[in-house]
Amino acid sequence: MRVKQTVGAGAIVILLGMTGSGLTGCANLGVKPWERDLLAEPGMEIDPDVIITALDEHIYFSKEASTGGLGTAGGGCGCN
Amino acid sequence: MSRALKVSHILLLLAALAVSARAQDVPAAGARPLPASAFELDGFAGQVVLVDFWASWCAPCRLSLPWLNAMQQKYGERGLQVVMVNLDHKPGAAAKMAAEIAPGIRQFEDPEGVLAAQYELEGMPSSYLYDREGKLIASHIGFLKTEREPREDELAAALNRKEP
């Protein structure tokens, strides 16, 4: 009986530990505003060449009679 | 070269070294940026202080540099002290940029983001305006050209405020 109780208590402690780490595990993720230098580089832009994208959009519009959906401007620094 | 001329050259050199050593004791605008650990708000007691966190990779930060320099030039005599804290990981290029665009402003370097973490910055650039008693009276995130006038009005109001 005592062995069963010890195992049960141990399981609860492990469960609480896993739940706690699950809740706080993502708390420190993310890039701080002052750490976005690499994200702000031109190579990180979704649209690396505005002119080529404009041409693609024009061709797409001419063929399909619809436009948009090819990404947005700006890098990832969150300050533009 | 005569001996007297040599001696006078040595004396001049020593005098120049003494002047430069003294200049390092008191951080002046246009001088080499100081480490973030040297930043103390109490060091600007009696002045209206605008602390601006910036980085060379941040476009609005670069946009704000000439404005900040202009504000320092315009209101410096009335007691405004603009302090810029650079957050580049490699601050060499940023220091050069600041020296060219905003030479009249005191510069600090915080490549590890220690001060930035203390201020809990939420965006770039971030600025904090303190009155003459060192009380925080305004803070801003980001910089737009359209903000220049209201921000200047805010500075002027802080400078005009009477001490209690």
Side-chain angles (χ1 to χ4, degrees), chain A residues 32-38 40 77-80, chain B residues 57 59-60 87 89 113 116-117 121-124:
Chain A
K32 301 289 184 193
W34 59 93
E35 296 172 338
R36 294 179 184 156
D37 51 344
L38 292 176
C77 77
C79 54
N80 289 323
Chain B
W57 46 262
L87 298 170
H89 284 119
L121 302 192
E122 293 180 9
M124 295 286 287

Side-chain angles (χ1 to χ4, degrees), chain B residues 88-148:
Chain B
D88 281 52
H89 284 119
K90 293 177 184 173
K96 195 179 169 193
M97 185 187 291
E100 284 174 8
I101 304 173
I105 297 180
R106 292 184 187 219
Q107 305 284 340
F108 288 86
E109 289 174 348
D110 187 16
E112 303 297 326
V114 178
L115 266 180
Q118 283 174 13
Y119 273 77
E120 297 179 346
L121 302 192
E122 293 180 9
M124 295 286 287
S126 282
S127 62
Y128 299 85
L129 182 63
Y130 295 90
D131 67 9
R132 293 183 196 273
E133 287 83 49
K135 184 182 161 195
L136 182 67
I137 52 175
S139 63
H140 297 277
I141 301 171
F143 185 83
L144 297 170
K145 278 187 176 178
T146 52
E147 287 179 1
R148 287 180 297 190

Side-chain angles (χ1 to χ4, degrees), chain B:
Chain B
M1 193 183 287
S2 71
R3 186 172 179 153
L5 203 58
K6 276 183 187 173
V7 170
S8 69
H9 278 189
I10 290 167
L11 286 174
L12 273 173
L13 184 66
L14 288 173
L17 284 172
V19 167
S20 67
R22 191 171 175 184
Q24 281 177 358
D25 296 337
V26 183
R32 191 180 152 70
L34 292 172
S37 56
F39 175 81
E40 278 186 24
L41 201 59
D42 295 342
F44 305 105
Q47 290 179 298
V48 171
V49 184
L50 179 64
V51 182
D52 186 81
F53 289 90
W54 75 288
S56 65
W57 46 262
C58 158
C61 303
R62 292 196 299 270
L63 189 70
S64 72
L65 289 183
W67 180 80
L68 289 167
N69 195 53
M71 292 301 101
Q72 181 62 62
Q73 298 298 320
K74 189 171 179 182
Y75 296 109
E77 285 185 359
R78 288 175 57 189
L80 176 69
Q81 182 63 64
V82 181
V83 177
M84 289 172 60
V85 182
N86 177 258
L87 298 170
D88 281 52
H89 284 119
K90 293 177 184 173
K96 195 179 169 193
M97 185 187 291
E100 284 174 8
I101 304 173
I105 297 180
R106 292 184 187 219
Q107 305 284 340
F108 288 86
E109 289 174 348
D110 187 16
E112 303 297 326
V114 178
L115 266 180
Q118 283 174 13
Y119 273 77
E120 297 179 346
L121 302 192
E122 293 180 9
M124 295 286 287
S126 282
S127 62
Y128 299 85
L129 182 63
Y130 295 90
D131 67 9
R132 293 183 196 273
E133 287 83 49
K135 184 182 161 195
L136 182 67
I137 52 175
S139 63
H140 297 277
I141 301 171
F143 185 83
L144 297 170
K145 278 187 176 178
T146 52
E147 287 179 1
R148 287 180 297 190
E149 268 190 41
R151 294 273 298 269
E152 184 173 349
D153 292 344
E154 190 177 73
L155 292 178
L159 288 163
N160 290 334
R161 192 180 291 182
K162 302 275 185 197
E163 289 186 35

Side-chain angles (χ1 to χ4, degrees), chain A residues 42-80:
Chain A
M44 296 298 279
E45 287 193 25
I46 293 170
D47 180 3
D49 194 318
V50 179
I51 294 172
I52 287 178
T53 305
L55 283 168
D56 283 348
E57 279 192 339
H58 181 72
I59 293 164
Y60 186 80
F61 176 75
S62 303
K63 282 183 171 178
E64 306 289 341
S66 70
T67 187
L70 290 176
T72 54
C77 77
C79 54
N80 289 323

